[in-house]
Structures are given as C-alpha cells and as structure tokens.
Amino acid sequence: MRHFGHIAPEVRQRLFHQEPCEFTADSPARLLSVALGATLYSPATRPRLADDIVKQTGRGVVSMVLCLEDSIGDEDVAEGEENLVRQFADLAGREGSGDLPLLFIRVRTPEQIPDLVRRLGPAVRLLSGFVLPKFTEEHGMPFLEALASAETASGRRLFAMPVLESPELMYRESRVETLEGVSRAVDKYRERVLALRLGVTDFCSSYGLRRAPDMTAYDVQIVASVIADVVNMLGRADGTGFTVTGPVWEYFRVQERMFKPQLRRSPFLEGQAEELREALIEHSMDGLLREITMDHANGLLGKTCIHPSHVLPVHALSVVSHEEFSDAQDILKPERCGGGVLRSQYTNKMNEVKPHRAWAERTMLRAEAFGVANEDIGFVELLAAGIPA
C-alpha cells in the first residue's frame, strides 16, 4: 500500500516531487508509526465490514480500527467478536487481501486479545495489532502482557496502540504521576508500541465539555494542557519518545455557524477550486483543517477519524512541502554536521543546523511516508486530486 495510491500514476507524477513510498504490514515500525495517517474507526458489529474495508482501501485509507469498545453497546460485544471472526475469514479468502489497510481491533479487556487471536486462526495474518483503552500503568500492563503472549502463540507480529484517555491524565494532581507510569509501561514494550492515541472526547467528558465545530481541541485550554504534557513526556525527539496521534474530529456537517470560516479564498482561487472550498466549509472541514495544522505544530502526527470524509484532509496536510523538504535536505547534509547557520534555498528563513536537526529528521521520515509535493503544488491540489470522481 501507499498514500495516494488510489489516484492515477500520471496524477501522482504531476503532484509529487517525491512520491510516497510503498509499505506493508511487515515494514519497520518506525515507518509504520508515521504512515498510519488518518486511522478510520468502525464498529465491529457492521454486517458488511469486509466490504467496507475493501471500499475504504480504494479511497486511500491505510489504517483502520475495528472497535469492540465505546462504539458498541455492552450487550453487543459477543456479537461484535463473532462478526469480526467472520469478516476476517471473508477478507482472508479474497484475492488481493495483501493490499488491505493495517487493521487493529480495539478491545475492552486483556482476555479478549489471546481469545480473538486464537479464534481468527489463519486470518490473523491480516491483523496488525490491538488498540488498548483507558491506558494507565496499572490498567494497561495486563493488556501489553496479553498481547505479548498472543504474539508468541500466533507467530504474528502484533502492535499495541494505547489510548490515553483516563481521568487521571486530566486531573492536575495526578497527571505527572500517571504519565510517568504510562512511560514505564510503554518503554518496557517499546518494540510493540506503534503509537500513542489521545482520547480527547473522554478528556472533555471529565468536565462535561464538548468543543464546538468552530473550535479545535487547542481552543479548549484544559484539553490543550493535557496534550502539551503528553507530548512533553512521551513525544520527545531524543529517542525516548513515541508517535502521538491527533484527537478525533467529531463533526460531519454544520447547520449554523457562529464564527467566520477559517479557510482563506486565495489558495482555492489559485487552484480553481472555489467549489471545493465551499464544500469543505459546508461540512465543517475548515475546522478540521485548522486542527490538523495545530496537531502538527504541537508534535502530533496522524489522526483518529470516525468519518471517511476526514481521511483525505489528514493525508493532504501530511504531505511534505517542497520548501520543507529543501530545508531538511540542507540541514542534514554531511558537511553540516558541525553545525552553523545558513539561509534557506527559498531565501525566507534561517536554518540553524543543530537546533533544527531533529525537525529535519522527522520531516524526512514523513516525506518517505507521505511524499514531497512539487514546488507549485499545495494542499488544495492534493485535496482536489484525491476526491473520488
């Protein structure tokens, strides 16, 4: 699979200076953690789940979570498990099953992990891992231990994606202690922790809050403070950190606005895509685009998505611009290893080699996963090209 692999090769050639790389479920974890992109969630009870997965693959989705937790009722868990086993068997029997997205199951209890791996049988080859809810050191370690045992029993590499969403992370008096515990747990299983996910909806519920479509998670200050502390302690670029993914965007369509749209006209006029701008605003995508931009600025990469229309904006804004790529290349040239300051090739900024090196390294990894846009290509062109005809 590859990002933007669903669009025609000649279109990709026009859009990209460097095309996104191809990867599989067996690719190195360092690449997969960045390549997750927009991770689309789906209830495990959907009766045509296998068809849905194939359909979304054709629309550019590269990672999905099949949920047995909050998205279904307590009384539907057994049915959801049975449905997952059937749907995985269906997928495994189809031609081209090797081109499916990275598939994860979001479980409720540690015991579900070995049980589902056993019940999936040969179809477990399609499973990339599990999403672990309400993760703290005390609550999360049994999940990680169960995953390690299931991996040994099945012979299949399985990743964990813990979700940081517990009230202890929200409360000031327990936050640092909780994050220290999370750090100890995930460090012990570092090779199996693909990414850390943020449960911002649960954070808000601790205070009876819900952000409006005109606002991003970063406008809710109590939530923004948690995100900052998670990145501070678990997202460092010194080799100790993990990929931390962006929070879910809850809205599909907005009937009434309080604030002005957040999308400037000029990029869309230049790309002759004014209708696309209107459609994005109508479906509250301007707020989503703003939040994705803020995710990147705050050290997050990828995003939890609960609607297929959110996938393309996440991927389009994850593509490395030609300017970013040029700066990163300059900073990482072997002759620059001694440091120093240089003017960017775009002559609009200073590149300071030692302080910007970690940024440059992360940018080059993102370029590998999402590609580098041609010099005259912006996110508008990427959005427009990726929309199904």
Side-chain angles (χ1 to χ4, degrees):
M1 72 191 93
R2 72 160 84 197
H3 284 290
F4 297 93
H6 64 299
I7 64 178
E10 62 272 17
V11 177
R12 289 203 306 269
Q13 189 174 13
R14 176 176 60 82
L15 294 174
F16 289 98
H17 171 77
Q18 174 185 300
E19 289 195 27
C21 71
E22 292 186 346
F23 58 93
T24 72
D26 297 317
S27 293
R30 182 168 176 265
L31 173 61
L32 292 181
S33 69
V34 173
L36 285 168
T39 300
L40 184 63
Y41 276 54
S42 177
T45 51
R46 289 181 68 90
R48 298 181 63 85
L49 186 58
D51 291 336
D52 293 341
I53 291 169
V54 172
K55 179 180 179 180
Q56 296 308 325
T57 304
R59 294 183 172 183
V61 172
V62 303
S63 63
M64 291 187 69
V65 172
L66 315 174
C67 185
L68 288 165
E69 209 225 359
D70 287 346
S71 69
I72 66 174
D74 297 346
E75 68 280 5
D76 296 324
V77 174
E79 177 192 340
E81 292 177 346
E82 292 172 5
N83 189 53
L84 281 180
V85 173
R86 288 194 303 270
Q87 302 293 336
F88 267 80
D90 182 350
L91 286 171
R94 299 191 187 197
E95 185 177 353
S97 61
D99 297 325
L100 294 173
L102 305 174
L103 298 176
F104 301 86
I105 297 174
R106 185 180 185 183
V107 290
R108 293 183 173 215
T109 67
E111 294 74 22
Q112 286 177 300
I113 293 176
D115 181 57
L116 284 168
V117 167
R118 177 186 58 78
R119 291 164 66 183
L120 287 174
V124 76
R125 66 181 176 81
L126 303 181
L127 182 65
S128 289
F130 292 88
V131 175
L132 315 181
K134 313 291 189 296
F135 195 91
T136 62
E137 182 178 28
E138 180 180 3
H139 186 255
M141 284 298 291
F143 283 93
L144 292 172
E145 291 164 356
L147 182 138
S149 297
E151 182 181 69
T152 300
S154 67
R156 168 71 182 163
R157 181 177 72 166
L158 297 171
F159 287 113
M161 291 201 291
V163 185
L164 308 184
E165 56 188 343
S166 65
E168 294 90 341
L169 281 170
M170 282 294 291
Y171 303 149
R172 178 186 290 269
E173 67 272 18
S174 56
R175 184 180 305 169
V176 171
E177 181 181 354
T178 302
L179 284 171
E180 288 174 342
V182 170
S183 180
R184 286 191 295 269
V186 295
D187 188 62
K188 183 176 180 180
Y189 289 88
R190 175 171 293 275
E191 292 184 358
R192 289 295 163 263
V193 176
L194 191 61
L196 304 176
R197 312 200 72 88
L198 291 170
V200 165
T201 300
D202 283 66
F203 289 161
C204 289
S205 74
S206 297
Y207 292 88
L209 304 175
R210 185 174 191 177
R211 70 188 189 278
D214 300 295
M215 297 183 180
T216 71
Y218 303 93
D219 295 311
V220 183
Q221 291 299 302
I222 196 165
V223 170
S225 70
V226 181
I227 294 174
D229 286 343
V230 169
V231 174
N232 189 328
M233 296 184 67
L234 298 170
R236 299 176 186 180
D238 60 0
T240 66
F242 296 83
T243 294
V244 182
T245 65
V248 68
W249 182 257
E250 299 178 347
Y251 296 94
F252 320 141
R253 189 182 182 95
V254 177
Q255 303 299 326
E256 184 177 352
R257 287 183 169 274
M258 181 179 297
F259 300 111
K260 290 182 179 180
Q262 301 177 71
L263 286 179
R264 291 172 54 242
R265 285 184 181 275
S266 54
F268 293 86
L269 292 174
E270 293 167 6
Q272 298 182 330
E274 179 66 12
E275 289 185 6
L276 173 58
R277 177 180 181 272
E278 295 300 325
L280 291 170
I281 292 171
E282 181 183 357
H283 291 82
S284 190
M285 295 294 186
D286 55 324
L288 170 62
L289 292 171
R290 171 69 175 166
E291 184 165 284
I292 297 166
T293 303
M294 292 297 292
D295 287 342
H296 292 177
N298 285 276
L300 310 185
L301 186 61
K303 202 165 185 68
T304 296
C305 294
I306 41 79
H307 196 273
S309 64
H310 299 168
V311 171
L312 182 56
V314 174
H315 293 170
L317 284 174
S318 297
V319 173
V320 173
S321 71
H322 188 271
E323 182 174 345
E324 290 175 309
F325 185 66
S326 172
D327 289 340
Q329 277 189 316
D330 280 353
I331 290 165
L332 295 175
K333 285 180 178 177
E335 61 267 29
R336 307 286 188 197
C337 63
V341 177
L342 57 148
R343 185 175 65 172
S344 73
Q345 290 188 25
Y346 277 70
T347 69
N348 61 357
K349 72 178 75 65
M350 172 194 73
N351 287 328
E352 193 167 353
V353 174
K354 288 185 177 179
H356 289 146
R357 186 173 187 84
W359 168 85
E361 290 172 344
R362 296 177 84 164
T363 297
M364 295 303 277
L365 186 55
R366 181 161 58 94
E368 185 179 354
F370 290 96
V372 179
N374 270 322
E375 193 168 358
D376 59 342
I377 296 297
F379 79 93
V380 173
E381 289 83 4
L382 292 163
L383 276 174
I387 295 174

